[in-house]
Amino acid sequence: MKNNDQKFLKIAVNQAQKSVQLGGFPAGAIIVKNGKIISRGVSLGFKLNDPTNHAETSSIRKSCKKLKTTDLSGCVLYASLEPCLMCFQVSNWAKISKIVFTCKKTKEMSNKNYYEGNNDIKKINKKNNHKIKIKYLPNYEEEMLEMIKKWEK
């Protein structure tokens, strides 16, 4: 399972690169069910003037449309960055079973308004009715931090 997590995280990181190429923020996500990619998302909120157009939320919307449901139980969200509070709660409402991400949010990212603040999704998860398994695999964290630095320039 760990190798699959790494493989799918790399695809989420590739989505972040695609997001930058499309003029968006360096964040990417995919939704996987039963080992198959259901959808891919990029973060074009700044470009589309849509504050809800984050990679995670975009991939959840696409998965729900494709599967014709709002219940994504059994699905895993792979994200290049730690999901923001909005994306985490959208994942909660969609009943995502597990989130795997590769780059933790930093205080610097919050200060630059890439995040809504220093909310801890693990603490929030404990208070939610639906509990999501949250897994941090730092395999591509340095790559993501470099991608963000390049994007800022």
Side-chain angles (χ1 to χ4, degrees):
M1 187 68 156
K2 190 176 183 185
N3 286 342
N4 275 345
D5 284 347
Q6 290 175 13
K7 178 182 90 171
F8 289 129
L9 268 182
K10 182 60 177 164
I11 296 168
V13 169
N14 292 342
Q15 284 298 111
Q17 188 61 52
K18 181 179 178 184
S19 186
V20 171
Q21 290 165 356
L22 294 171
F25 182 77
I30 63 170
I31 303 283
V32 174
K33 186 168 188 174
N34 299 325
K36 291 188 169 75
I37 297 173
I38 305 298
S39 67
R40 300 167 189 253
V42 294
S43 189
L44 300 177
F46 293 129
K47 185 175 180 183
L48 300 176
N49 300 310
D50 177 0
T52 69
N53 196 293
H54 291 197
E56 301 90 338
T57 297
S58 172
S59 64
I60 290 168
R61 283 181 182 137
K62 289 175 185 175
S63 289
C64 288
K65 271 189 170 178
K66 186 173 183 176
L67 299 175
K68 296 181 177 17
T69 185
T70 58
D71 185 345
L72 298 179
S73 297
C75 290
V76 180
L77 167 65
Y78 290 91
S80 62
L81 298 173
E82 181 176 348
C84 72
L85 188 56
M86 175 189 72
C87 291
F88 178 72
Q89 289 298 72
V90 170
S91 299
N92 180 51
W93 282 107
K95 303 264 187 288
I96 293 284
S97 297
K98 181 177 168 185
I99 295 172
V100 182
F101 68 94
T102 195
C103 184
K104 283 186 178 181
K105 87 173 141 183
T106 64
K107 187 173 182 165
E108 185 180 9
M109 289 178 194
S110 291
N111 289 343
K112 291 178 179 179
N113 292 318
Y114 301 160
Y115 284 90
E116 72 293 333
N118 292 313
N119 295 299
D120 184 340
I121 60 173
K122 288 182 180 176
K123 287 181 182 174
I124 292 165
N125 193 39
K126 288 178 185 173
K127 295 179 182 181
N128 285 345
N129 291 330
H130 170 71
K131 307 293 186 259
I132 299 173
K133 290 180 191 161
I134 301 170
K135 187 173 181 180
Y136 163 61
L137 284 178
N139 305 56
Y140 307 104
E141 187 164 55
E142 287 304 315
E143 185 177 340
M144 284 308 306
L145 292 171
E146 279 302 309
M147 194 183 303
I148 291 168
K149 284 179 188 168
K150 280 185 183 175
W151 176 80
E152 288 173 339
K153 291 175 185 174

